[in-house]
Amino acid sequence: VELVSLVVLPIGFLLFRGLPDRGYLLSKIMGLLLLAYIPWLLASQGLMNFGVGSIYLGLAALSVPAVAIAVLKRNQILSFLSQRWRILAFEEALFLVAFFAFLALRWANPDLWHPFRGGEKPMDFAYLNAVVQSTTMPPYDPWFAGGFLNYYYFGQFMVGTLIKATGILPEIAYNLAIPLLFALTVAGAFSVVYNLTESLREGRWQRGAAWGPAAAGVAAALLVVVLGNLDGMVQLVQGAGRVLLSSESFPAFDFWRSTRMMPPDPPGHEITEFPYFTFLFADLHAHLIVIPFTLLAAGLALNLVLSAREKGF
């Protein structure tokens, strides 16, 4: 992932020219998307089997425009790096801290199962294995012999691309993909808000402390991926109250209660997921995989607005 983000960095430098940090973190998300799209297109059109060869061919194809941009814009890129290296180093550290922090959570509970019928992990793992073992697209259907997967699978294909490229076993890669997607979500949330606030600080509307945009970006990342639901804090306060006031033992944490925000009458199974629960539950499903790519779309939209502002539109 770091290699791919480095390869596409010149492309991001040109594409995200409206953003103060030139989309350094967004390039990590974009790199994974582009790396997977090329071998998927080749396999879908019957031009080349999905495998290590098509993946590295895709990486080489990305390298061509990246090298060209790096050569043509080398003075601008070097000037940008000399001026902005501190925030880029901070962003890289934030990405790595987020990855290893969530990797520690998966390390503590690596079982790809949940007591309630496994959650969606059996289905997700079946689809992931189908993608990895298929050489043409769409993948084979793991539930219907001789059939093809009639389901949205490109999220699993992106993970499968990393599995094919590295040779890591799928059952191990699953527990690496969740922290990666968590870290990419942190990166996307930070990038959107940092670039928005930094553009305001440097614009004509307001002046502020140099560290303000970075602090706003960190706050945004925390609000998106950790503090999206306050029921956990409510349970801690309620449990502490029972211990202090009634001398009762601290109750077990209700993992599911935080996702049941709909009225209980009539009873149902409506679930109100929020990103931290989604990553903690760790179903490698489309609604999880899409989160960082949604933030990439938001970053692209912000880039369009800021680029238009610079041109006076």
Side-chain angles (χ1 to χ4, degrees):
V1 171
E2 292 285 21
L3 173 63
V4 175
S5 65
L6 183 63
V7 168
V8 303
L9 199 58
I11 300 175
F13 179 84
L14 186 64
L15 177 64
F16 296 107
R17 56 187 176 273
L19 302 182
D21 73 348
R22 294 297 184 107
Y24 179 80
L25 287 176
L26 294 176
S27 292
K28 293 183 184 295
I29 309 173
M30 181 182 69
L32 177 58
L33 177 64
L34 294 177
L35 178 70
Y37 182 74
I38 295 174
W40 174 83
L41 190 63
L42 293 172
S44 297
Q45 297 301 315
L47 299 175
M48 190 173 183
N49 285 344
F50 176 46
V52 176
S54 66
I55 295 170
Y56 281 98
L57 178 63
L59 186 61
L62 291 175
S63 301
V64 173
V67 170
I69 294 170
V71 171
L72 294 173
K73 301 287 185 179
R74 59 186 180 277
N75 292 332
Q76 295 180 30
I77 293 175
L78 291 174
S79 175
F80 168 76
L81 293 175
S82 66
Q83 296 174 19
R84 296 279 186 172
W85 68 268
R86 290 180 180 83
I87 187 60
L88 300 184
F90 178 82
E91 290 180 347
E92 185 64 33
L94 179 68
F95 171 77
L96 292 174
V97 167
F99 175 79
F100 285 109
F102 218 85
L103 180 63
L105 286 178
R106 292 307 306 156
W107 199 334
N109 182 29
D111 192 7
L112 303 184
W113 184 259
H114 186 272
F116 189 73
R117 299 176 183 173
E120 289 182 325
K121 293 180 183 64
M123 180 186 72
D124 298 326
F125 195 49
Y127 289 171
L128 180 62
N129 279 294
V131 166
V132 171
Q133 295 177 25
S134 295
T135 56
T136 59
M137 295 296 129
Y140 72 84
D141 190 337
W143 311 118
F144 180 55
F148 296 99
L149 195 59
N150 183 23
Y151 197 76
Y152 36 85
Y153 64 86
F154 190 72
Q156 277 85 6
F157 187 89
M158 287 188 287
V159 177
T161 299
L162 296 178
I163 292 174
K164 287 268 196 180
T166 59
I168 298 174
L169 294 175
E171 60 267 31
I172 304 299
Y174 188 110
N175 279 321
L176 296 174
I178 298 295
L180 171 63
L181 292 164
F182 177 85
L184 291 176
T185 301
V186 169
F190 175 91
S191 183
V192 170
V193 174
Y194 167 79
N195 284 295
L196 177 61
T197 52
E198 178 68 11
S199 66
L200 293 175
R201 190 180 73 87
E202 294 182 347
R204 61 181 180 273
W205 292 298
Q206 74 178 59
R207 298 288 178 180
W211 52 265
V218 171
L222 290 173
L223 286 168
V224 169
V225 299
V226 178
L227 303 176
N229 185 306
L230 299 180
D231 180 67
M233 179 63 71
V234 172
Q235 289 195 51
L236 292 176
V237 172
Q238 291 174 338
R242 291 176 60 178
V243 172
L244 296 174
L245 300 178
S246 305
S247 299
E248 300 179 18
S249 60
F250 199 92
F253 188 83
D254 190 345
F255 182 80
W256 288 101
R257 193 186 94 170
S258 301
T259 67
R260 295 301 190 264
M261 297 291 104
M262 300 294 287
D265 188 24
H269 296 283
E270 298 84 2
I271 184 169
T272 309
E273 287 200 24
F274 50 99
Y276 185 67
F277 172 87
T278 302
F279 286 112
L280 195 62
F281 195 54
D283 280 342
L284 192 60
H285 205 62
H287 67 278
L288 182 152
I289 301 172
V290 76
I291 298 175
F293 299 96
T294 304
L295 291 167
L296 172 63
L300 286 167
L302 177 62
N303 176 62
L304 287 174
V305 173
L306 295 180
S307 297
R309 190 189 74 171
E310 289 183 1
K311 294 179 180 179
F313 294 137

